[in-house]
Amino acid sequence: MSKVSTSHPFTLESVRNFNDGPTDHRQAELNAVASQVAAQYRADAMSPVLVSGYLRFAEFALLALSGVVIYALYVGFGTHLVWEYPAAVLTGSLVAVILFEITDLYQISALRRPWSHLKNILIVWSGVFALMALAGFIFKVSEEFSRVWFGSWFVVGLALLLTARLALARLVRRWARNGRMERRAVIVGGGGGAETLIRSIEKQPHNDIRICGIFDDRDNRRSPPIVAGYPKLGTIDELISFARIAHIDMLIVSLPITAEKRVLSMLKKLWVLPVDVRLSAHSHELKFRPRSYSFIGSVPMLDVFDKPINDWDSVAKRAFDIVFSLAGIIAFSPVMIATAIAIKLDSKGPVFFKQKRHGFNNEEIDVYKFRSMYTDQCDPSAVKAVTKNDPRVTRVGRFIRKTSIDELPQFFNALFGSLSLVGPRPHAVAAKTHSVLYTEVVDGYFARHRVKPGVTGWAQINGWRGEVDSDEKIRKRTEFDLYYIENWSLLFDLKILFLTPIRLLSSENAY
């Protein structure tokens, strides 16, 4: 049995470089039971993190609005403190939200049972007003503020907080019952360890984990077909297909950390999925520093991989896409109109061209471009890549492909959500190099699809665009795409977006 160090050996680099032969990430066919279970979870669930996050914004808005409305109705905007009242309201509302956060009043357990946390809510809200009164005394302005306004805002604000939390508690319970708000988890590895883990998770009060099943490569003699009431749905290869269909959020590996080779072998297959991967530390004899663990209730987990661009990062990136897509559509509308006219004058056929490509989580999406080829020679499946001096490309098509103007309609893809503005470029479903599918050339190719594909990307601005006529080119594209995913930030997106027109106009690889 392999010895492991307590420095947590399962890094992304160690998993990717683990040498147990090439990994086949093609979709495995699910058995009838696994297909039926996966179909139950096909609809997306709501993230508990986002629900509690939206409540922060909602409560800040309610408190601020109520304070300003009471001020307008009772005091009026005609006083000499026209700026001081709104400033006090905004500051008090912000402090309240921060204190609710510090006292864990935005945890899902607190949102489920608001009456149980009424005392803490009252203490925090009273503390905010005590701090405001103290600030008024220190700065010698307390006499200038209305005491009626002060007391009214306290009462109305408290009533709004309780009303909002009672309403949300009913919604949270309803969402939990119908599966709208949950973290969907799959147990990887069966047997006694998996049973102990499942029992421990189920004991956690107000648990938002929904265990969907168990996957294990071992036969029924070593890994029972049913563990703690949950069926074994298939092998690790079949788990890849199941996780994509069922929109799984988390994979929990129940194997002992001492089985390093076997764990690494499994992780090498699983890291291509856009999910959190956790290694159960519930029954491990090895102990790590407390900060090494995350917890499901009180069950300790080692974080192996995190889903990239998740929760509030995904909200920020989506807002980024909407704002800059709209800006791009407005800025380039004269170019797009001129291009549409030129295409119609140059050759018969539609202005736009639609192609099936791989999107987030390996799902197929429709990507739009300006048509650059003769209508009767268009290749929607991209079986034959466009090459230099390709006779299928029109005169206008050569220019718009060279300058990437043909990609401008993808601003609409980004606006409506099938693409992001920045990300790995979406490849055609049947894309090949030397008659070999990209998935067969690059081990871990599907890891590009852990995030939404982009209109532009890190690989493209580094010169890896245009014809893919060698295995090295698709390997390099994938390498740059994975670097982007692992190092994503909004500033990184801004950098790529800013450099795109500079780099692409000087590129010689597009034709």
Side-chain angles (χ1 to χ4, degrees):
M1 188 171 289
S2 303
K3 291 184 178 180
V4 296
S5 70
T6 57
S7 60
H8 194 351
F10 304 114
T11 63
L12 180 58
E13 198 62 31
S14 68
V15 170
R16 286 169 55 185
N17 294 334
F18 177 64
N19 186 17
D20 65 341
T23 304
D24 185 1
H25 290 297
R26 287 176 295 183
Q27 301 278 48
E29 186 174 347
L30 297 177
N31 59 61
V33 175
S35 297
Q36 184 177 1
V37 173
Q40 297 175 6
Y41 300 105
R42 188 178 294 273
D44 282 322
M46 299 173 63
S47 166
V49 174
L50 290 181
V51 171
S52 62
Y54 289 133
L55 180 62
R56 293 171 175 85
F57 285 115
E59 288 190 336
F60 174 80
L62 283 173
L63 295 176
L65 185 61
S66 63
V68 171
V69 168
I70 294 170
Y71 160 65
L73 293 177
Y74 183 76
V75 181
F77 289 104
T79 69
H80 65 286
L81 297 177
V82 67
W83 297 112
E84 283 79 355
Y85 272 98
V89 166
L90 293 176
T91 302
S93 302
L94 180 60
V95 170
V97 170
I98 292 172
L99 292 178
F100 286 148
E101 175 68 32
I102 292 172
T103 52
D104 292 331
L105 288 172
Y106 288 118
Q107 297 296 317
I108 290 298
S109 58
L111 301 184
R112 287 175 183 268
R113 300 177 300 159
W115 286 118
S116 301
H117 297 270
L118 175 59
K119 179 181 176 181
N120 291 336
I121 294 172
L122 181 59
I123 290 173
V124 169
W125 188 230
S126 300
V128 170
F129 277 75
L131 289 173
M132 292 174 64
L134 180 61
F137 173 76
I138 291 173
F139 293 105
K140 299 180 180 180
V141 295
S142 56
E143 293 184 357
E144 301 187 44
F145 283 84
S146 167
R147 286 160 178 75
V148 174
W149 167 81
F150 198 70
S152 299
W153 187 33
F154 177 84
V155 174
V156 172
L158 182 61
L160 288 173
L161 286 171
L162 291 177
T163 302
R165 285 180 175 251
L166 287 171
L168 183 61
R170 294 189 63 181
L171 286 174
V172 167
R173 288 193 291 269
R174 184 191 305 168
W175 291 335
R177 284 196 303 269
N178 62 26
R180 284 289 308 282
M181 193 181 77
E182 61 189 6
R183 286 186 291 168
R184 297 170 183 170
V186 164
I187 307 297
V188 182
E195 182 172 3
T196 302
L197 170 64
I198 291 170
R199 299 296 186 201
S200 300
I201 292 174
E202 288 181 336
K203 287 179 182 177
Q204 305 306 312
H206 310 293
N207 183 17
D208 66 339
I209 295 291
R210 173 74 65 92
I211 299 174
C212 302
I214 299 168
F215 286 80
D216 198 338
D217 281 337
R218 295 175 295 179
D219 58 31
N220 290 345
R221 292 175 301 170
R222 300 175 60 198
S223 176
I226 296 179
V227 177
Y230 293 93
K232 185 172 72 173
L233 298 176
T235 65
I236 304 304
D237 287 331
E238 292 166 335
L239 169 56
I240 306 295
S241 301
F242 180 88
R244 295 193 191 283
I245 295 171
H247 295 181
I248 296 299
D249 300 298
M250 180 185 300
L251 305 179
I252 304 175
V253 180
S254 70
L255 301 176
I257 197 172
T258 48
E260 181 176 343
K261 185 174 181 180
R262 188 167 168 226
V263 173
L264 280 168
S265 180
M266 281 191 175
L267 294 178
K268 187 175 183 183
K269 296 178 180 180
L270 299 175
W271 76 279
V272 301
L273 290 170
V275 299
D276 295 327
V277 179
R278 303 288 181 256
L279 183 62
S280 170
H282 182 65
S283 57
H284 291 165
E285 294 181 4
L286 289 172
K287 300 298 180 184
F288 296 87
R289 293 187 302 272
R291 284 182 296 177
S292 299
Y293 297 114
S294 62
F295 291 87
I296 297 175
S298 61
V299 180
M301 301 281 173
L302 289 170
D303 298 349
V304 183
F305 306 134
D306 288 323
K307 181 179 180 180
I309 316 181
N310 195 24
D311 292 327
W312 286 107
D313 285 343
S314 67
V315 173
K317 188 167 175 62
R318 182 71 188 122
F320 179 95
D321 288 341
I322 292 172
V323 170
F324 283 95
S325 294
L326 285 171
I329 290 168
I330 294 169
F332 289 102
S333 56
V335 177
M336 288 193 276
I337 292 170
T339 302
I341 294 171
I343 290 170
K344 292 298 289 185
L345 293 175
D346 185 49
S347 60
K348 294 181 180 179
V351 169
F352 298 104
F353 171 69
K354 181 175 71 174
Q355 190 175 63
K356 292 286 185 184
R357 299 198 178 187
H358 282 302
F360 172 68
N361 200 25
N362 219 37
E363 296 175 351
E364 290 187 5
I365 59 173
D366 290 322
V367 172
Y368 290 89
K369 302 174 68 173
F370 281 121
R371 180 175 59 84
S372 60
M373 303 170 71
Y374 292 103
T375 303
D376 59 346
Q377 298 183 57
C378 286
D379 184 11
S381 60
V383 172
K384 182 182 177 184
V386 176
T387 58
K388 191 172 185 178
N389 299 320
D390 196 315
R392 298 175 297 168
V393 179
T394 66
R395 290 175 300 171
V396 170
R398 294 188 195 284
F399 176 76
I400 63 175
R401 291 179 71 90
K402 180 70 176 177
T403 56
S404 294
I405 290 174
D406 64 323
E407 310 281 0
L408 291 180
Q410 289 167 34
F411 276 121
F412 291 97
N413 280 106
L415 180 62
F416 295 119
S418 58
L419 292 182
S420 181
L421 270 182
V422 181
R425 284 291 295 149
H427 293 153
V429 174
K432 299 178 181 179
T433 172
H434 297 308
S435 300
V436 180
L437 290 170
Y438 291 167
T439 56
E440 299 173 26
V441 175
V442 183
D443 194 21
Y445 170 82
F446 281 138
R448 302 172 71 254
H449 304 149
R450 290 186 294 158
V451 300
K452 279 186 184 180
V455 178
T456 183
W458 184 236
Q460 281 61 45
I461 69 166
N462 280 279
W464 299 103
R465 64 186 293 253
E467 182 184 6
V468 180
D469 53 5
S470 69
D471 292 354
E472 178 65 13
K473 286 185 177 180
I474 188 56
R475 288 195 185 99
K476 279 294 184 182
R477 283 191 183 191
T478 304
E479 179 185 328
F480 277 87
D481 290 337
L482 296 183
Y483 177 87
Y484 166 79
I485 294 171
E486 293 158 20
N487 295 277
W488 174 86
S489 70
L490 284 179
L491 287 176
F492 197 12
D493 274 3
L494 275 172
K495 175 182 176 179
I496 293 170
L497 208 58
F498 175 76
L499 290 175
T500 293
I502 300 171
R503 298 287 177 83
L504 296 193
L505 288 175
S506 61
S507 174
E508 297 179 357
N509 297 328
Y511 27 81

